[in-house]
Amino acid sequence: MTPGVAALWVVSLGCAAMALRVRGRRLPDAEVLHPALRWAGRIPVPAELRRLSGRGDTERLLREAGLSGRLDAGAVARARAGGLMIGVALAAALVVPAPPAALLGLVVGVAGHLAPDRWLARRVARRRAEIERELPDLLDLIGVCVSAGMPLDAALRTAAGRTRGPLADEVRFMLRSLDLGTPRRRAYRELADATGSEALARTVAALGQADELGSPIAGAVAAQAGEMRAARDASARESAARAAPKIQLVVALMMVPAVMIVVMAVLAVSYTHLRAHET
């Protein structure tokens, strides 16, 4: 590859980037994105590619991740398209000097295209775990308030005001919806759908049924809190059981060879001293 051809190749890539560049566009609330994804979202890409990178469930995932209103689906689509363009540009740069290495660019492009979805899925899973961890404590507060004679809405408001975290935020959002006239059944369903947590969905269903049928809410709340704690304890035991084989693997791969090296070194030194003493 002659210097003239290389210079022409660089100039052509620069012209293509300038032609595809979008002026004055910035990611909305880009601070919530991972730095690598934020940088990928600024890569100049065609509008059609950004449109094809959109997903129908992105808005739902953003809602479950607690990013609704702070990050839109278009920003995630631009990050997907930007990651893909990075791989395409790398493959185009390597196809002339080293054609086999161009496959690396394609692999990078696929990984960059999938990276925003992986990041978003991790945020959803982390927030869902926080909500399920906070749920028993919130139910205990609701049970205390209901037992003291408070109605359910007042108990929810008091419990949400005394706790912090994503679950309390979602409960406060639901209470604001009720204040604006949203039907109770719809507000409860939106609360369950906003997190994607099955445990919260069961709890909301039990509270709604108890409120509609006029059954004692304190008993339903106590039963749900006990069930959540039992599920949390079972999850903790399961995590501990999964950790044991990992610990054994670390011991087998790291500590046992180190101990064997020390033992062999001691034996070698002892053997050397014994041979020197005999001579």
Side-chain angles (χ1 to χ4, degrees):
M1 185 175 181
T2 63
V5 175
L8 182 61
W9 186 254
V10 173
V11 170
S12 63
L13 288 178
C15 292
M18 292 181 64
L20 296 173
R21 185 164 57 95
V22 180
R23 295 182 180 272
R25 294 291 300 275
R26 298 184 62 185
L27 287 177
D29 292 321
E31 68 275 3
V32 302
L33 273 175
H34 190 277
L37 301 180
R38 186 166 65 244
W39 182 78
R42 295 193 177 100
I43 300 296
V45 295
E48 186 65 20
L49 181 58
R50 292 198 303 270
R51 186 185 67 81
L52 293 176
S53 298
R55 304 281 173 81
D57 60 343
T58 302
E59 290 291 348
R60 177 183 61 81
L61 292 175
L62 289 173
R63 181 74 178 94
E64 293 181 2
L67 299 176
S68 182
R70 302 175 59 197
L71 186 67
D72 61 1
V76 181
R78 285 195 295 274
R80 293 191 193 105
L84 182 61
M85 285 299 296
I86 292 174
V88 171
L90 181 60
L94 295 175
V95 68
V96 174
L103 294 175
L104 176 63
L106 298 178
V107 173
V108 172
V110 173
H113 185 72
L114 298 177
D117 295 323
R118 296 286 297 173
W119 170 80
L120 193 56
R122 285 196 298 269
R123 286 194 66 120
V124 169
R126 184 166 60 247
R127 187 169 185 267
R128 190 176 298 166
E130 291 178 4
I131 287 175
E132 293 180 355
R133 186 169 58 250
E134 297 167 3
L135 184 56
D137 297 333
L138 184 71
L139 289 176
D140 286 340
L141 287 175
I142 295 172
V144 171
C145 294
V146 171
S147 300
M150 285 187 181
L152 180 58
D153 289 352
L156 288 170
R157 199 178 304 275
T158 302
R162 292 181 176 273
T163 56
R164 295 293 181 270
L167 179 58
D169 295 338
E170 292 294 341
V171 172
R172 284 192 289 268
F173 183 82
M174 183 200 70
L175 292 172
R176 286 195 295 269
S177 298
L178 290 174
D179 293 338
L180 293 174
T182 303
R184 185 177 301 276
R185 181 183 294 273
R186 177 183 172 187
Y188 283 176
R189 185 175 64 252
E190 290 178 351
L191 173 63
D193 295 340
T195 61
S197 172
E198 295 182 0
L200 182 59
R202 291 194 301 268
T203 301
V204 168
L207 289 178
Q209 184 177 10
D211 185 48
E212 291 179 359
L213 298 178
S215 58
I217 297 178
V221 169
Q224 289 296 320
E227 182 181 348
M228 294 300 104
R229 283 200 169 83
R232 189 171 61 182
D233 294 343
S235 178
R237 288 193 295 269
E238 184 179 354
S239 299
R242 287 198 303 266
K246 298 178 182 178
I247 295 174
Q248 294 174 0
L249 182 62
V250 171
V251 171
L253 294 179
M254 303 296 295
M255 298 185 65
V256 172
V259 172
M260 293 299 296
I261 291 173
V262 172
V263 172
M264 294 299 295
V266 172
L267 291 177
V269 171
S270 301
Y271 179 75
T272 303
H273 282 292
L274 182 61
R275 294 284 296 179
H277 181 72
E278 290 179 351
T279 57

